[in-house]
Amino acid sequence: MTDDKKLRTKLVHGGTRRSQYNEVSEAIFLTQGFVYETAEQAEARFEQLGEDEFIYARYGNPTVRMFEDRMAMIEGTEDCFATASGMAAVNAALMSLLRAGDHVVSSRALFGSCLYILEDVLTRFGVEVSFVDGTDLEAWRAAIRPDTKVLFMETISNPTLEVIDLKSVADLGHTVGATVVVDNVFATPVFSRAVEMGADVIVYSTTKHVDGQGRALGGAVCGTRDYIRKTLEPYLKHTGAAMSPFTAWIMLKGLETLDLRVRAQAEGARILAEALDGHPKLSRVIHPGLPAHPQHALARDQMTGFGTMLSLEISGGKDAAFRALNALEIFTISNNLGDAKSIVTHPATTTHQRLPVDVRAELGITPGLLRLSIGLEDPQDLLADLTRALDAA
Ligand SMILES: *Cc1c(COP(=O)(O)O)cnc(C)c1O
């Protein structure tokens, strides 16, 4: 299929390869290796891979390649490499770009494991990392140096849903030749315009909206062909965080319905945010689609939708938050997001428990804060569930 099609068409057909049987649904090639007809063919394949040729599933498998091609097509990048999890993707994207002595500037409000890679792993190998408040453009400007190699950020922060001005930050990075790496999970591949805004490398945990049904871990790194094949592939090829062909098949099936799911979920998030805004039990309702959100205009500019997440701060702290959590009937208490099932998380005691109290406070992760991932249930049922739980709080 040619690249000029619209998103929904690409999500269904992009990257499809058919075997000699011309199957309709993407085939699962559960094979680790590939047979060469002759010794000469083996030699030639190791010298140079042609199209539709594979050597070993750690760095190439037909089912995984279909998924990679489809991801690249929808993200608008030249190429993509699939990984075993979102964290494998983040780790490889950064490790493949950096060496001892390099400098990185990163936003501070990060997914806990991303923070671990930047703060604990990279620094152990002599990489210097400066953390900034991602929404403060002057802080980025002050931290970026002539020798800065990489900028890293989550465009929408977890769990307080602050939006970073990607285009302005990327412009600052590019003036010193830095590579702009974006963890784009919260923006979703459906609403993302990260490439247009200047991102060089875009990383997804496909565990989230791409699978969207809680079945498998996966990750993807999208970028130029040069970066993916010459910088990232050598690192991943030899370190082994490959996506399994079965997982790639699950992700391909997830992509077919991604647009429908994410749009329905985002619509649910918007309906709930508007309905709950001003609720007497809530001190804050955080959703980038609300006009009162501090970066509402930026979010509208930078994405084509506001995402499937919503955060609520309950007055009354942890006790009230726990009472509300335990009173919910439809929302499940878990820590995944982007799922068909609506999920509620209490960040202060789970995903962000590891952070020191003062850092949590600085990031706005208060004891009353709940993070909600809106699923595919009827929004009116979800609203009734939340309203009842808030009464119980
Ligand atoms: C979940 C998540 C990750 C990690 O992905 P896994 O698939 O769980 O390894 C990284 N970044 C963000 C923003 C996430 O939400």
Side-chain angles (χ1 to χ4, degrees):
M1 192 189 71
T2 50
D3 210 18
D4 58 344
K5 304 296 184 291
K6 301 250 191 308
L7 179 68
R8 291 258 288 264
T9 309
K10 291 177 180 176
L11 284 166
V12 176
H13 293 289
T16 299
R17 290 158 182 250
R18 294 203 162 90
S19 77
Q20 71 272 33
Y21 301 114
N22 262 326
E23 61 281 351
V24 172
S25 177
E26 296 79 354
I28 309 176
F29 290 91
L30 277 176
T31 181
Q32 124 290 336
F34 304 85
V35 175
Y36 317 103
E37 298 295 336
T38 62
E40 287 78 10
Q41 195 187 53
E43 182 186 35
R45 205 170 293 184
F46 271 79
E47 268 170 8
Q48 189 169 22
L49 274 180
E51 220 181 306
D52 294 328
E53 288 181 342
F54 299 96
I55 290 178
Y56 196 64
R58 196 174 343 101
Y59 49 100
N61 168 284
T63 314
V64 178
R65 187 56 54 79
M66 285 192 256
F67 172 64
E68 292 169 336
D69 287 349
R70 195 171 294 178
M71 280 300 293
M73 204 178 247
I74 64 175
E75 197 57 32
T77 54
E78 288 172 0
D79 213 340
C80 168
F81 202 104
T83 56
S85 69
M87 284 326 302
V90 171
N91 183 64
L94 293 170
M95 289 292 263
S96 65
L97 282 165
L98 294 163
R99 63 184 63 241
D102 283 348
H103 179 239
V104 176
V105 183
S106 170
S107 64
R108 193 179 287 114
L110 295 178
F111 184 73
S113 302
C114 295
L115 191 63
Y116 176 78
I117 290 175
L118 285 148
E119 205 168 31
D120 292 71
V121 180
L122 290 175
T123 52
R124 234 194 291 145
F125 295 96
V127 174
E128 193 189 340
V129 185
S130 308
F131 289 101
V132 297
D133 170 355
T135 60
D136 182 351
L137 200 56
E138 287 316 306
W140 285 99
R141 198 191 306 277
I144 292 169
R145 311 191 311 222
D147 65 334
T148 300
K149 285 286 179 322
V150 166
L151 305 189
F152 183 80
M153 75 202 84
E154 293 170 21
T155 41
I156 306 183
S157 73
N158 170 23
T160 51
L161 311 181
E162 291 176 341
V163 185
I164 293 180
D165 184 348
L166 173 56
K167 183 163 189 321
S168 301
V169 174
D171 283 348
L172 287 175
H174 290 153
T175 59
V176 298
T179 302
V180 178
V181 182
V182 171
D183 178 336
N184 216 23
V185 166
F186 279 59
T188 81
V190 170
F191 297 139
S192 167
R193 293 174 54 209
V195 171
E196 270 174 63
M197 297 292 141
D200 300 304
V201 177
I202 299 144
V203 180
Y204 285 106
S205 163
T206 66
T207 313
K208 311 296 165 54
H209 303 85
V210 173
D211 173 21
Q213 287 148 91
R215 299 167 292 195
L217 287 172
V221 185
C222 300
T224 62
R225 178 141 309 128
D226 201 55
Y227 165 73
I228 297 291
R229 295 302 151 196
K230 297 208 178 110
T231 303
L232 183 75
E233 185 185 295
Y235 180 83
L236 276 167
K237 172 177 171 173
H238 298 299
T239 54
M243 177 178 276
S244 97
F246 184 69
T247 297
W249 178 81
I250 290 174
M251 297 300 170
L252 280 161
K253 290 293 135 193
L255 285 179
E256 288 183 353
T257 58
L258 181 73
D259 186 84
L260 297 175
R261 285 185 288 106
V262 165
R263 282 183 197 283
Q265 290 169 234
E267 173 70 358
R270 189 189 57 78
I271 290 171
L272 292 177
E274 283 172 5
L276 292 169
D277 200 17
H279 190 285
K281 289 274 176 73
L282 296 173
S283 46
R284 278 199 298 168
V285 174
I286 311 171
H287 179 66
L290 290 176
H293 186 283
Q295 294 96 29
H296 173 65
L298 172 66
R300 203 176 36 207
D301 214 43
Q302 183 160 295
M303 303 184 295
T304 56
F306 297 109
T308 63
M309 305 297 291
L310 165 70
S311 290
L312 306 175
E313 188 179 57
I314 298 188
S315 324
K318 179 183 162 184
D319 289 347
F322 273 30
R323 277 196 297 275
L325 279 171
N326 294 332
L328 285 163
E329 183 197 353
I330 302 173
F331 279 86
T332 47
I333 303 173
S334 187
N335 39 267
N336 189 21
L337 63 94
D339 200 271
K341 295 179 172 63
S342 288
I343 290 171
V344 60
T345 310
H346 185 248
T349 54
T350 60
T351 51
H352 293 70
Q353 189 191 94
R354 203 177 69 90
L355 291 180
V357 179
D358 58 321
V359 177
R360 268 210 304 271
E362 196 184 324
L363 293 174
I365 303 166
T366 57
L369 191 76
L370 298 181
R371 185 192 79 183
L372 280 65
S373 168
I374 306 308
L376 287 172
E377 304 93 339
D378 190 295
Q380 294 310 320
D381 284 339
L382 295 176
L383 181 60
D385 199 26
L386 280 168
T387 308
R388 212 177 29 74
L390 288 174
D391 287 343

